[in-house]
Amino acid sequence: MARIILAVDPYGDIGIDEIIARINMVKEYIAGVKIGLPLLIRFGLPGVKKIIDLARDTEHVILDFKLADIAPVMISTIEPFVGTGANEVIAHAFIGLDGALKEFKEYIDSYGLKLILVVSMSHPGSTDIMEHVLDKIINVVEKLEPYGIVVPATRPHIIQNVKKKLLSKNIDVKIYSPGIGVQGAKPGSALKAGADYEIIGRSILYSPNPLEAASLIARIHDELVRRR
Amino acid sequence: MARIILAVDPYGDIGIDEIIARINMVKEYIAGVKIGLPLLIRFGLPGVKKIIDLARDTEHVILDFKLADIAPVMISTIEPFVGTGANEVIAHAFIGLDGALKEFKEYIDSYGLKLILVVSMSHPGSTDIMEHVLDKIINVVEKLEPYGIVVPATRPHIIQNVKKKLLSKNIDVKIYSPGIGVQGAKPGSALKAGADYEIIGRSILYSPNPLEAASLIARIHDELVRRR
């Protein structure tokens, strides 16, 4: 079972056709794709739909706009993607429930889209504020019971702690971990800490040999999962 | 001096030409426009550029994607807007500095774009987490010294407290307040509490008579500013 979520972020002058070609190269090794604002802004809704179509036979087609707004704005942002084949949406847990995540989750639930909440982030500044309110962020997760959460591979202790805490309350969420490769964490390190998926972008998509990069990481993942 | 920032969020099936027509109706009363993800997704970069062109002779042409990501993603999101005439960008303070806001501010500074940080939000769930870390959020503002901050009209005590705190440290930021109208706060209430601008969307743009709605609010603002 694939454990790689491919972050499809364009860098430099790359065109949509080249991105599609590179995704096709590595498709057998990925569990899904994650599409963010840089792609949306460069290639518009038609460009995003091309990537969604390409990835719709993978399990996870994730819209990652790091939503962090009041409910009507988040709903209006996701509305155009209903029925496109995208099936998961990332939002920030820290914005809280009433008037934001509560109504947003009700809306996306009604269309069969799944919610993934950001619990922690991969950059050093995540310790300025977010790490101080980790307990409150986990409270939001417990109340909302999203499908998944984002916890970075650069903070494996948080992956372990959050997973333990949620499981002790019988809450089962998928854990998605960014921060592998360019951001410093080693492939496999998040799975080892308890994550379900590693979100990997640049070190596959911008490798001189994307197929080789993806298959190498997939082999590391398979080995780890076998040993569990 | 105008104190209205017009939030240009599309609702329902409104087309870009109708939005442009309504902005033109109220243009003499506004200090600027705020463009968010719902508009970007529906009308793409070309649609956003039309609104920017229309608003470029106002003082504030604000990109409000509530940015809350690592620096490379935020930079790659704003890159296509450099040189378009947009001059202010909204990001969340809570994500912290290193690897996020610090590098992002350096990037946008180098292109003359100004940073506006979200300090508090207008919905009830903002008290779940954000209000508990208001001091830490203000620390981020003090360290980064952005051009402006967002504090909602629904929380006038926070407008007053934050303004006092920042002024006591000789930090002068513009305060932008959403939450007027549909979200519950009265026009003028944020200015009264110390805000510089009130961000107003639906109660002008979706009024049966946008011109009348805008001129009425502008009169309330003028009266308040005269009395200061």
Side-chain angles (χ1 to χ4, degrees), chain A residues 140-184:
Chain A
V140 168
V141 172
E142 288 176 8
K143 282 185 186 148
L144 216 53
E145 299 203 14
Y147 174 76
I149 59 175
V150 178
V151 188
T154 49
R155 308 196 191 289
H157 60 290
I158 299 188
I159 298 177
Q160 290 164 340
N161 293 348
V162 170
K163 188 162 181 163
K164 214 167 112 183
K165 209 171 249 180
L166 291 175
L167 281 179
S168 77
K169 305 203 174 183
N170 277 317
I171 297 171
D172 187 23
V173 296
K174 300 280 180 214
I175 301 179
Y176 296 77
S177 279
I180 307 286
V182 178
Q183 291 179 67

Side-chain angles (χ1 to χ4, degrees), chain B residues 96-215:
Chain B
L97 299 167
D98 286 353
L101 292 171
K102 189 175 154 277
E103 293 82 352
F104 180 62
K105 183 164 185 289
E106 286 164 7
Y107 173 81
I108 65 170
D109 275 354
S110 74
Y111 289 103
L113 287 158
K114 294 169 191 165
L115 183 63
I116 301 173
L117 291 180
V118 178
V119 162
S120 177
M121 292 176 73
S122 57
H123 62 290
S126 178
T127 57
D128 290 346
I129 300 177
M130 291 179 74
E131 207 154 305
H132 293 278
V133 282
L134 188 57
D135 283 348
K136 287 194 197 308
I137 289 176
I138 294 171
N139 278 347
V140 168
V141 172
E142 288 176 8
K143 282 184 187 148
L144 215 52
E145 299 202 13
Y147 174 75
I149 59 175
V150 177
V151 188
T154 50
R155 307 196 191 288
H157 60 290
I158 299 187
I159 299 177
Q160 289 163 341
N161 292 348
V162 170
K163 187 161 184 165
K164 213 167 113 182
K165 208 171 248 177
L166 290 174
L167 281 179
S168 77
K169 303 202 175 183
N170 276 320
I171 296 171
D172 187 23
V173 297
K174 300 281 179 215
I175 301 179
Y176 296 75
S177 279
I180 307 285
V182 178
Q183 289 179 70
K186 278 189 185 157
S189 61
L191 290 196
K192 223 181 274 182
D196 297 279
Y197 300 102
E198 295 189 347
I199 300 170
I200 305 176
R202 286 169 279 181
S203 43
I204 292 177
L205 221 48
Y206 296 88
S207 155
N209 190 336
L211 174 63
E212 198 177 69
S215 71

Side-chain angles (χ1 to χ4, degrees), chain A residues 42 79 94-95 97 123 128, chain B residues 42 79 94-95 97 123:
Chain A
R42 279 167 184 74
E79 216 172 24
F94 82 92
I95 57 170
L97 299 167
H123 62 290
D128 289 344
Chain B
R42 279 167 186 73
E79 215 172 24
F94 82 91
I95 56 171
L97 299 167
H123 62 290

Side-chain angles (χ1 to χ4, degrees), chain B residues 34 58 64 69 82 86 93 109 112 171 181 214 216 222:
Chain B
K34 185 177 81 73
T58 69
D64 179 19
D69 214 320
V82 168
D109 275 354
I171 296 171
L216 189 69
D222 287 345

